[in-house]
Amino acid sequence: MDVVNPANCKAIAKVPISTRDEINAAVEAAKEAFPGWRRTPPLARARCLLRLRELMEERFEELSRIQTMEHGKTIDESRGETRRGIENVEVAAGIPSLMMGYNLEDIAAGIDEYLIRQPLGVFGIIGPYNFPFMVPLWFAPYAVATGNCIVLKPSSEDPISQVKIVELAEEAGIPPGVWNLVNGGRTVVSGMLDHPGIKGVCFVGSTAVGRDVVYKRCGETGKSVISQTGAKNFLLVMPDAKFERTIAACMTSFYGNTGQRCLSGANLIIVGEGLKEHESNAFYRKVADGFVAAASKIRVGYGLDESIQMGPLRDESKKKSVIGFIEKGIEEGATLKLDGRDVKLVGDWPHKCFLNPSAFEDVTPDMTIGKEEIFGPVASIMRAGSLDEAIQMIHSNPYGNAASIFTSNGKWAREFQYRTQCGNIGINIGIAAPMAFFPFSGMKDSFFGTLHGQGQEAVRFFTESKVVIQRWF
Ligand code: NAD
């Protein structure tokens, strides 16, 4: 399969699509490597990860450029992604401490009890296209650090970053069979879900696949599962928000990564809490106009140009889908204030996958564009009379990935954090992305499972607790 750079439409690589036999071979290799890797002391496993980290640092720029070329994001966004990926390797290298159990002497006279954590065997990891480098690293380093082996399937759309990582893992001394890679789409996923040799699966992607295919099939086949899925994120602007900083944060949230982030802002609610009607109208206009003016200045083009602020969509079909949403928004009565279909680029690139930022006003939460995940550079601007009403608007949406509030009022911020049913909350932060040592949360239709990726929760996911009670006569 060709991997095509969406900015210049040139094929940059070819990847093979793995057959059923190759999936079986990968699982067999992992199963075979498991006993030896499990017996490797955690400190020795950690040293392999530290070497991997060093190699990633040495190739930092190369790895970042690959992401821009295979995905389309700007080079600075790619550097951010590389950094976030490496941080997960660093955190997982703390495994000798992270994997410790606990004990208690004399739970009865002369009897001690302790808990140990043990790896399970082989895990499957299935990635989405929007963060080709980072997302699989929310899981892979923790799986490997805890003594498991993995079969990883990157998105078929941009798999090169993961091919590079597996090469570096080998160079770092991670033994053959521990870190395996297969390529392909849905057939490969179903091969992994059905494979009896795979004990658990980590999936990141759309809700349709994550819930209806992955979570369901893992239940049927008895696999443990982390399934992180789709999103529709709301950002609230309160009357006392710092105006310039809020608008700047909104630009990165709504249009960064071309809107293809599960933490991207999608709906902007301008909240007139405590304001009289005419004040509320003036406040609304100021924020909405400021937002649209800033969005219209975003420089769109090929992400390897350092001055570019927004790259193309990953491919033509994604652009088509976003245009479909824009048309639906117009049809349902929203006002299109900024029309990104009118493509203007910095540089002479084919328009095939590009859109400029779009922004709608007069959107309500029940309209298609207010409700469904667009996954592109389209903002829906809404109004609420109070914080309470805004929180209810968030709760009327089935997703619960992220939500942010912009305010100078601690009471409003606390109320928002306390009540909002979303897994990642931002307070004066536009992209509420948890660091590697915190779980990547998600609620409602944005997450299926119990434990999340990253940090301590990932360590727990990749290990089974065993409790030992001992008495010596
Ligand atoms: P996707 O669901 O189309 O694909 C995800 C993975 O599943 C890919 O590896 C793909 O090859 C495979 N796949 C696709 N269709 C399949 C099918 N019918 N059966 C089995 N496997 C299938 O998602 P995507 O378009 O690659 O990624 C975008 C989605 O991921 C968005 O919905 C976004 O919100 C979500 N996402 C969520 C998080 C999170 O942490 N919650 C993070 C990043 C992306």
Side-chain angles (χ1 to χ4, degrees):
M1 192 172 165
D2 282 337
V3 179
V4 177
N5 179 336
N8 59 18
C9 300
K10 295 204 169 111
I12 50 171
K14 245 187 173 27
V15 279
I17 300 301
S18 306
T19 61
R20 187 63 70 131
D21 284 348
E22 284 163 342
I23 300 165
N24 290 341
V27 178
E28 280 313 311
K31 277 168 70 180
E32 211 169 290
F34 176 58
W37 185 240
R38 179 196 167 173
R39 278 177 208 287
T40 305
L43 198 55
R45 296 198 297 254
R47 285 189 191 119
C48 289
L49 288 175
L50 289 169
R51 279 196 293 275
L52 174 61
R53 176 202 175 276
E54 285 314 305
L55 293 170
M56 285 175 163
E57 288 289 357
E58 279 167 24
R59 315 271 174 89
F60 191 95
E61 206 51 30
E62 179 195 341
L63 293 169
S64 304
R65 286 176 71 86
I66 288 171
Q67 290 156 56
T68 294
M69 289 192 282
E70 68 174 337
H71 174 276
K73 63 186 68 188
T74 69
I75 185 66
D76 234 30
E77 288 166 344
S78 295
R79 289 179 188 129
E81 177 170 355
T82 311
R83 179 55 57 216
R84 287 297 183 116
I86 292 177
E87 283 165 2
N88 276 281
V89 180
E90 287 168 339
V91 171
I95 206 64
S97 311
L98 290 172
M99 203 177 162
M100 276 182 188
Y102 48 89
N103 60 8
L104 188 68
E105 256 184 356
D106 288 329
I107 49 125
I111 303 182
D112 304 329
E113 185 164 343
Y114 51 94
L115 176 140
I116 49 184
R117 294 197 190 286
Q118 297 186 329
L120 285 89
V122 183
F123 280 87
I125 299 172
I126 300 158
Y129 82 88
N130 65 328
F131 282 98
F133 180 86
M134 173 188 72
V135 165
L137 294 175
W138 289 348
F139 312 103
Y142 304 97
V144 166
T146 46
N148 296 286
C149 299
I150 57 172
V151 176
L152 195 153
K153 189 207 83 68
S155 169
S156 50
E157 296 166 34
D158 44 16
I160 308 171
S161 292
Q162 292 302 316
V163 174
K164 286 287 161 197
I165 292 176
V166 89
E167 285 171 10
L168 296 183
E170 198 176 344
E171 204 178 324
I174 293 175
V178 172
W179 194 309
N180 304 281
L181 185 110
V182 290
N183 279 301
R186 67 176 65 184
T187 341
V188 177
V189 171
S190 49
M192 289 168 74
L193 295 175
D194 290 344
H195 204 296
I198 292 184
K199 301 289 180 205
V201 169
C202 303
F203 170 88
V204 178
S206 61
T207 298
V209 179
R211 178 187 55 201
D212 304 339
V213 180
V214 177
Y215 192 63
K216 183 165 177 270
R217 193 71 190 129
C218 284
E220 287 163 355
T221 56
K223 293 178 180 27
S224 53
V225 59
I226 295 177
S227 187
Q228 300 184 193
T229 51
K232 187 77 180 173
N233 305 315
F234 290 70
L235 271 68
L236 274 50
V237 185
M238 304 301 286
D240 61 355
K242 301 277 181 228
F243 181 74
E244 265 94 31
R245 299 186 78 155
T246 300
I247 297 294
C250 283
M251 290 306 109
T252 3
S253 179
F254 283 82
Y255 302 115
N257 217 35
T258 323
Q260 300 166 108
R261 273 196 189 111
C262 69
L263 296 176
S264 286
N267 293 342
L268 182 78
I269 312 184
I270 303 173
V271 188
E273 172 86 41
L275 301 181
K276 296 200 175 73
E277 199 185 334
H278 70 279
E279 291 168 338
S280 179
N281 290 341
F283 171 59
Y284 173 83
R285 275 274 47 92
K286 183 180 172 195
V287 177
D289 290 348
F291 184 99
V292 171
S296 66
K297 293 194 189 101
I298 289 176
R299 291 166 63 84
V300 184
Y302 188 10
L304 283 184
D305 171 347
E306 299 274 354
S307 75
I308 291 303
Q309 294 165 305
M310 194 176 103
L313 273 306
R314 216 331 288 161
D315 56 47
E316 230 180 332
S317 72
K318 290 184 174 55
K319 172 172 166 173
K320 254 194 193 150
S321 154
V322 175
I323 289 176
F325 277 105
I326 295 174
E327 286 165 354
K328 196 85 187 156
I330 298 167
E331 195 186 305
E332 291 182 3
T335 313
L336 185 57
K337 285 284 181 171
L338 185 63
D339 189 351
R341 293 172 301 177
D342 180 15
V343 176
K344 290 189 194 80
L345 301 182
V346 177
D348 188 19
W349 308 106
H351 283 202
K352 232 177 180 178
C353 305
F354 282 101
L355 279 175
N356 284 65
S358 291
F360 277 100
E361 285 190 45
D362 307 316
V363 182
T364 55
D366 56 334
M367 287 180 183
T368 306
I369 55 166
K371 196 166 58 185
E372 293 180 15
E373 182 175 42
I374 300 176
F375 223 55
V378 181
S380 296
I381 304 180
M382 303 177 172
R383 265 183 99 149
S386 65
L387 177 58
D388 187 59
E389 188 189 338
I391 293 175
Q392 282 179 37
M393 285 158 81
I394 299 177
H395 289 171
S396 70
N397 192 277
Y399 292 108
N401 215 36
S404 294
I405 187 168
F406 288 86
T407 182
S408 302
N409 181 320
K411 186 171 183 301
W412 287 343
R414 186 182 186 277
E415 182 77 4
F416 182 77
Q417 162 204 306
Y418 190 80
R419 287 178 53 198
T420 305
Q421 286 167 21
C422 287
N424 302 289
I425 298 289
I427 297 174
N428 296 316
I429 299 281
I431 308 159
M435 296 291 285
F437 28 89
F438 284 99
F440 194 105
S441 255
M443 293 178 180
K444 296 164 70 185
D445 279 359
S446 297
F447 176 72
F448 299 89
T450 310
L451 295 164
H452 304 87
Q454 296 201 143
Q456 191 60 260
E457 288 207 17
V459 172
R460 282 183 59 202
F461 179 77
F462 290 116
T463 54
E464 240 168 355
S465 311
K466 186 182 273 181
V467 177
V468 183
I469 306 180
Q470 66 172 352
R471 168 164 63 187
W472 296 94
F473 298 109

